[in-house]
């Protein structure tokens, strides 16, 4: 199994751990500590040894941060985790706050005393966040202190070791572009901007540019490594050479990539400083420790978006072909699973864990599954209302009749990454459930159907998916969608659908389309397909270049929850056409006559 269901509740350990931390802070002569959910690479997904926030507070979400002061503490999460955080942390010790309504640096400005000292690990705060905390401390008459070592690590006595898993080559047939050609493009950009080098800090950027993959991070085939690309199209990759297989090592050598152990990076950074080099760092993503090392060595440090970000996001032809193949492959176990649920769930013998296990087993039967793309969100009844719910042996609920069940899952195949959410009713839905489901569905459909001019951002389109909910005075507190990698991170930027997004959508970008509705304590609804941005054919008389979305995901949508009376003709036509495509693309891949018959019935046209 790629997923375990061990109980992760650590709330009972929080008081002793925070007390130990505060004793440690007293010893260091500081008044507080910033504890982000991050490692030195600043990615969303981190290895077990970097789960400091979870270990200290009990919160297990993929994004958040805490500030621990002498007599008070707060934890900051976004709308995905407002319910989860209250279940997991000790509310007598830690106050949960939701961003963007509250911010860690704003809270520090209000709560740290004048003359206080706030400590932070410079490897765990980005340059951007360090600047914000420094400004907040200055406003409060306090001081921000970069620490030489992390105080949490000093009291985390059974902390796991850093992963040293094998690193392999991503074949060119799936990568589409060689590492040498990617480095040439980066080097050309550096020269155009008058820069001598850039430091690559995001693990998926390193994996992408060098066409390598690993398993250092759960469910994400990236590699825990930094790299520096120089303006002569050479590069330094800081990774233990013993971890790399022969094919990958030969490919890197041929691409003019120098392999060095991780501890050698400081020497190379200092050499850039000695040469008075102009070095680019991506301030929202690069650790403050990198900037301070370069500046102290004499380098000029420039803030510039990682040169890998947009090329990685705009998939090439091979990556798009791989994504299409991966989604068709993944459509088979999804259809088998939904039929299995339809047959077995009404008997009342299933629970959240058995459902998640069955879906993983079906994906494994494809023979090509490399991993899940994240822990399956298997939520029954009230747990479906927790957007990033993780089922454990303790929390496991039965899947009951006349209750909603939500499953959000994905797979890692060597040619693509999938992510799909389906919400089903076991039994008979209420009229409210059907209304809410149909409004979510309408939002998903309208975003799928969008045609938009070049230059449009995810922020511009986000309201399209929310409008049917807004009509009824409803909304959801997470983004409508995120970028997705190519056999890499299931959450990949910079593209996304959210109210605050300002990234222009470009051809080749893959995004999730997943509006939702959540009624706390009762049920939750989310419907998710992946889309790829395509250039649209010109319309006669049209004056601007346009884009559209190609749907990648093909899986039945529960017709029992659809209320066609509140759908437009265009929305209903899209749904019927989509279901016809599901049958045409997935049915021929199913081995069982029963599975094919079920799929055809589940995708039958809906009329008023």
């Amino acid at each position: 199994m790629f997923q375990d269901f061990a109980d992760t509740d650590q709330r009972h350990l929080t008081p002793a751990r925070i007390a130990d931390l505060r004793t440690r802070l007293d010893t260091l002569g500081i008044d507080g500590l910033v504890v982000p959910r991050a490692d030195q690479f600043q990615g969303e997904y981190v290895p077990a040894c970097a789960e400091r926030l979870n270990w200290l507070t009990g919160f297990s979400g993929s994004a958040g941060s805490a500030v621990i002061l002498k007599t008070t503490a707060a934890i900051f999460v976004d709308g995905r985790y407002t319910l989860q955080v209250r279940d997991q942390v000790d509310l007598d010790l830690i106050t949960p706050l939701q961003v963007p309504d509250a911010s860690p640096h704003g809270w520090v400005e209000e709560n740290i005393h004048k003359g206080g000292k706030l400590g932070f690990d410079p490897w765990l705060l980005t340059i951007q966040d360090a600047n914000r905390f420094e400004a907040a401390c200055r406003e409060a008459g306090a001081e921000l202190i970069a620490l030489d070592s992390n105080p949490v690590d000093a009291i985390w006595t059974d902390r796991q070791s850093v992963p040293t898993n094998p690193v392999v080559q991503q074949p060119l047939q799936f990568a589409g572009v060689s590492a040498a050609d990617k480095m040439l493009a980066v080097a050309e950009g550096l020269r155009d901007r008058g820069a001598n080098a850039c430091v690559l800090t995001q693990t998926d950027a390193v994996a992408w540019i060098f066409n390598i993959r690993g398993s250092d991070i759960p469910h994400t085939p990236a590699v825990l490594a930094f790299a520096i690309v120089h303006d002569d199209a050479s590069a330094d990759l800081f990774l233990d050479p013993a971890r790399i297989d022969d094919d990958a090592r030969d490919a890197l050598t041929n691409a003019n990539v120098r392999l060095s152990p991780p501890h050698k990076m400081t020497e190379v950074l200092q050499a850039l400083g000695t040469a008075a080099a102009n070095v680019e760092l991506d301030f929202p993503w690069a650790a403050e420790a990198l900037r301070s090392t370069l500046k102290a060595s004499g380098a000029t440090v420039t803030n510039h978006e990682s040169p890998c970000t947009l090329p990685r996001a705009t998939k090439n032809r091979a990556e798009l072909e791989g994504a299409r193949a991966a989604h068709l492959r993944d459509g088979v176990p999804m259809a088998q699973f939904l039929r299995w649920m339809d047959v077995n769930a009404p008997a009342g013998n299933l629970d959240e864990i058995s459902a998640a296990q069955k879906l993983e087993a079906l994906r494994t039967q494809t023979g090509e599954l490399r991993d899940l793309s994240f822990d399956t969100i298997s939520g029954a009844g009230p747990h479906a209302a927790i957007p990033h719910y993780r089922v454990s042996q303790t929390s496991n609920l039965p899947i009951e009749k006349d209750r909603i069940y939500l499953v959000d899952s994905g797979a890692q195949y060597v040619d693509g990454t999938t992510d799909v959410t389906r919400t089903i009713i076991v039994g008979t839905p209420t009229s409210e459930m059907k209304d809410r489901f149909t409004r979510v569905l309408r939002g998903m459909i309208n975003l799928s159907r969008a045609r938009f001019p070049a230059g449009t951002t995810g922020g511009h389109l986000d309201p399209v998916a929310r409008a049917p909910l807004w009509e009824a005075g409803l909304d959801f507190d997470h983004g409508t969608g995120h970028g997705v990698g190519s056999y890499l991170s299931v959450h990949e930027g910079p593209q996304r659908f959210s109210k605050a997004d300002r990234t222009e959508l470009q051809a080749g970008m893959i995004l999730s389309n997943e509006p939702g509705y959540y009624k706390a304590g009762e049920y939750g609804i989310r419907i998710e397909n992946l889309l790829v941005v395509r250039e649209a054919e010109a319309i006669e008389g049209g004056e601007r270049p346009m884009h559209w979305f190609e749907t990648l995901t093909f899986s039945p949508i529960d017709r029992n929850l659809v209320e066609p009376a509140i759908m437009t003709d265009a929305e209903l036509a899209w749904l019927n056409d989509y279901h016809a495509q599901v049958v045409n693309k997935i049915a021929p891949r199913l081995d069982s006559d029963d599975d094919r018959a079920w799929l055809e019935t589940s995708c039958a046209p809906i009329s008023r």
Side-chain angles (χ1 to χ4, degrees):
M1 294 288 293
F2 291 108
Q3 180 175 355
D4 71 73
F5 305 97
D7 183 22
T8 59
D9 184 7
Q10 302 185 70
R11 202 168 15 184
H12 61 291
L13 300 172
T14 300
R17 289 175 176 177
I18 288 185
D20 287 347
L21 178 62
R22 283 173 169 153
T23 298
R24 181 70 182 171
L25 298 183
D26 283 340
T27 302
L28 295 172
I30 57 178
D31 302 286
L33 180 70
V34 181
V35 185
R37 200 273 182 176
D39 64 4
Q40 64 266 46
F41 305 100
Q42 303 300 325
E44 178 178 1
Y45 300 106
V46 302
C49 62
E51 291 278 11
R52 296 175 180 87
L53 183 65
N54 175 229
W55 181 86
L56 183 67
T57 70
F59 173 66
S60 63
S62 64
S65 62
V67 180
I68 312 298
L69 298 180
K70 283 187 174 183
T71 60
T72 187
I75 187 167
F76 304 84
V77 301
D78 61 41
R80 296 171 294 175
Y81 297 115
T82 51
L83 295 178
Q84 179 179 330
V85 71
R86 300 189 71 85
D87 287 338
Q88 291 185 322
V89 306
D90 186 328
L91 300 179
D92 291 331
L93 286 173
I94 305 170
T95 301
L97 297 170
Q98 184 175 330
V99 296
D101 297 334
S103 68
H105 34 88
W107 186 86
V108 163
E109 184 176 336
E110 293 176 0
N111 287 274
I112 196 167
H113 66 81
K114 188 173 182 178
K117 295 181 178 180
L118 180 67
F120 77 104
D121 183 337
W123 283 106
L124 302 186
L125 277 192
T126 66
I127 298 167
Q128 183 179 81
D129 280 337
N131 288 342
R132 288 171 174 168
F133 277 109
E134 185 176 31
C137 287
R138 186 168 57 248
E139 286 296 317
E143 184 179 2
L144 184 66
I145 305 292
L147 303 174
D148 294 330
S149 61
N150 195 302
V152 174
D153 296 350
I155 60 173
W156 188 359
T157 55
D158 59 348
R159 181 172 167 241
Q160 292 181 240
S161 57
V162 176
T164 56
N165 299 326
V167 175
V168 300
Q169 184 179 17
Q170 175 72 338
L172 189 59
Q173 72 183 96
F174 303 125
V177 179
S178 70
D181 286 343
K182 292 176 182 178
M183 291 162 56
L184 281 170
V186 170
E188 181 179 355
L190 289 171
R191 293 193 296 271
D192 289 345
R193 295 188 296 273
N196 305 110
C198 64
V199 183
L200 303 183
T201 63
Q202 294 173 272
T203 57
D204 51 355
V206 171
W208 175 84
I209 194 170
F210 298 125
N211 291 338
I212 55 178
R213 297 294 189 270
S215 58
D216 294 343
I217 307 169
H219 309 314
T220 304
V223 182
L224 293 176
F226 290 106
I228 301 173
V229 180
H230 302 269
D231 59 0
D232 63 356
S234 69
D236 293 285
L237 174 58
F238 302 99
L239 184 67
D240 182 356
R243 296 179 58 193
I244 304 180
D245 71 7
D246 291 340
D247 289 342
R249 186 182 299 107
D250 291 345
L252 290 169
T253 300
N254 292 336
N256 202 13
V257 179
R258 296 174 289 272
L259 283 173
S260 300
H263 69 270
K264 291 288 186 181
M265 183 174 65
T266 299
E267 295 179 15
V268 178
L269 293 175
Q270 289 173 338
L272 288 170
T274 301
N278 182 356
V279 182
E280 292 181 349
L281 290 174
D282 193 344
F283 283 17
W285 293 99
E288 168 62 22
L290 294 167
R291 176 174 67 171
S292 59
T293 299
L294 284 164
K295 291 190 72 172
S297 302
T300 298
V301 179
T302 303
N303 178 22
H304 193 277
E305 182 178 67
S306 168
C308 296
T309 298
L310 281 177
R312 182 190 64 208
T314 50
K315 308 295 185 284
N316 59 51
R317 178 176 296 181
E319 291 171 324
L320 290 177
E321 288 176 354
R324 295 183 184 106
H327 280 82
L328 291 178
R329 184 185 309 118
D330 204 50
V332 172
M334 278 299 300
Q336 293 169 329
F337 171 75
L338 291 172
R339 178 189 172 235
W340 178 81
M341 288 291 298
D342 195 27
V343 171
N344 293 282
N349 298 322
L350 302 181
D351 56 32
E352 294 169 338
I353 290 179
S354 63
Q357 289 174 325
K358 180 65 175 181
L359 181 51
E360 180 174 333
L362 290 168
R363 280 192 166 113
T364 301
Q365 289 175 14
T366 66
E368 299 188 55
L369 180 69
R370 296 297 182 92
D371 199 343
L372 303 181
S373 54
F374 54 95
D375 282 342
T376 297
I377 299 169
S378 178
H383 286 167
I386 305 173
H388 273 214
Y389 170 68
R390 176 190 179 275
V391 57
S392 69
Q393 295 288 351
T394 300
S395 69
N396 188 28
L397 284 181
I399 297 173
E400 297 176 327
K401 196 170 182 180
D402 300 336
R403 303 294 292 272
I404 273 178
Y405 170 72
L406 182 152
V407 58
D408 185 347
S409 68
Q412 293 284 10
Y413 302 104
V414 70
D415 51 355
T417 300
T418 72
D419 183 2
V420 52
T421 306
R422 288 296 182 263
T423 302
I424 64 174
I425 183 68
V426 178
T428 305
T430 65
S431 59
E432 180 187 273
M433 288 176 179
K434 293 183 69 172
D435 177 87
R436 303 304 190 254
F437 181 92
T438 306
R439 291 182 186 280
V440 171
L441 175 61
R442 291 176 57 206
M444 191 275 284
I445 290 173
N446 290 334
L447 184 54
S448 301
R449 296 177 57 240
R451 185 182 177 97
F452 51 96
T456 298
T457 70
H460 292 143
L461 292 180
D462 182 78
V464 172
R466 298 178 188 270
L469 287 163
W470 287 353
E471 290 170 2
L474 309 170
D475 203 355
F476 53 94
D477 290 327
H478 58 71
T480 300
H482 53 82
V484 178
S486 177
Y487 187 41
L488 271 175
S489 176
V490 73
H491 288 173
E492 177 183 273
Q495 73 277 19
R496 57 182 178 149
F497 296 120
S498 79
K499 297 174 183 177
D501 181 70
R502 296 295 179 267
T503 299
E504 293 185 8
L505 298 177
Q506 299 183 29
M509 289 180 169
I510 297 175
L511 302 99
S512 70
N513 172 9
E514 50 181 313
Y517 170 77
Y518 309 95
K519 189 170 185 178
E522 296 194 32
Y523 64 87
I525 294 163
R526 190 163 61 253
I527 308 169
E528 176 187 20
N529 283 348
L530 297 194
L531 310 173
V532 59
V533 182
R534 298 281 304 277
E535 292 181 355
E537 292 184 4
I539 296 176
E540 185 176 353
E543 298 178 351
R544 299 187 181 187
M546 305 293 286
H547 291 125
W548 65 285
F549 291 119
E550 172 192 349
T551 295
L552 294 175
T553 307
F554 294 98
S555 181
I557 293 166
D558 192 351
R559 297 164 73 254
N560 297 309
L561 280 164
V562 176
E563 178 49 78
I566 63 171
M567 298 181 71
T568 67
D569 290 344
E571 291 164 354
L572 201 55
W574 184 96
L575 179 60
N576 288 333
D577 179 70
Y578 174 75
H579 272 153
Q581 291 185 62
V582 172
V583 173
N584 290 337
K585 293 176 182 293
I586 304 302
R589 296 169 172 266
L590 295 169
D591 295 330
S592 162
D593 289 341
D594 289 340
D595 285 344
R596 284 192 291 271
W598 177 89
L599 185 66
E600 290 174 2
T601 300
S602 297
C603 293
I606 299 175
S607 65
R608 298 188 204 285

